[in-house]
Amino acid sequence: MVRPLSMDLRQRVAARIEAGESVRSIAAALMIFGVAACALAVYFPPPAIIIWAILVGAMIGVAASAELDLTAFFTARYFGLRHYGQVYGVTFAAYHAGIGLGPVLVAMLYDLSGSYTVPLIVNALLILSAAGMFVTLGRYPDETGGH
């Protein structure tokens, strides 16, 4: 349900505002859901109220669902369609490598620290840095390959 809503929002806003500043802002805002989820999990650890668990899960779902769609959109806009399959394939592979390695790294941090607070804070910082990178992206290249 989130994926069609995020894509519809992206299309409506992007159609109105030139050069994609709005889309980058939307991407950064959606990533903030992941940061908020980490913060909730740190400040309301188990056995927290079940509502917090549902809220955290929903926030992570919103962030992750929009992430792949926006990656496809940005790949097409910044790298063009000529090599779209190759570039998106690399980003998709990196995304899934992170999905595979993430739990292992979280487990290692848990073993070192004795709680999930450190892995959640590291995750939140990484999400914030990614959101910052989205916001600082330059204008889309024009169709001829120049800026």
Side-chain angles (χ1 to χ4, degrees):
M1 181 170 140
V2 173
R3 182 165 285 154
L5 291 175
S6 69
M7 293 308 290
D8 182 58
L9 178 63
R10 178 195 53 80
Q11 290 169 352
R12 287 176 188 266
V13 174
R16 293 191 180 120
I17 299 178
E18 184 182 333
E21 285 85 3
S22 64
V23 180
R24 290 191 297 272
S25 298
I26 290 169
L30 289 171
M31 290 179 138
I32 298 303
F33 276 104
V35 174
C38 291
L40 284 173
V42 167
Y43 290 110
F44 298 102
I49 302 171
I50 191 70
I51 300 298
W52 288 118
I54 293 169
L55 183 61
V56 167
M59 291 173 132
I60 291 171
V62 167
S65 177
E67 189 174 342
L68 280 176
D69 293 329
L70 290 169
T71 301
F73 174 78
F74 284 122
T75 300
R77 288 300 207 127
Y78 281 100
F79 297 100
L81 297 178
R82 184 173 188 173
H83 300 290
Y84 175 79
Q86 293 171 325
V87 175
Y88 185 69
V90 169
T91 60
F92 195 73
Y95 178 80
H96 282 83
I99 289 173
L101 292 174
V104 174
L105 296 174
V106 167
M108 288 173 31
L109 285 172
Y110 176 83
D111 288 342
L112 291 172
S113 67
S115 77
Y116 285 107
T117 301
V118 172
L120 287 167
I121 290 171
V122 169
N123 191 25
L125 292 173
L126 290 172
I127 294 169
L128 280 174
S129 68
M133 287 185 243
F134 266 112
V135 172
T136 60
L137 285 171
R139 296 174 71 87
Y140 300 137
D142 64 21
E143 296 297 317
T144 61
H147 282 83

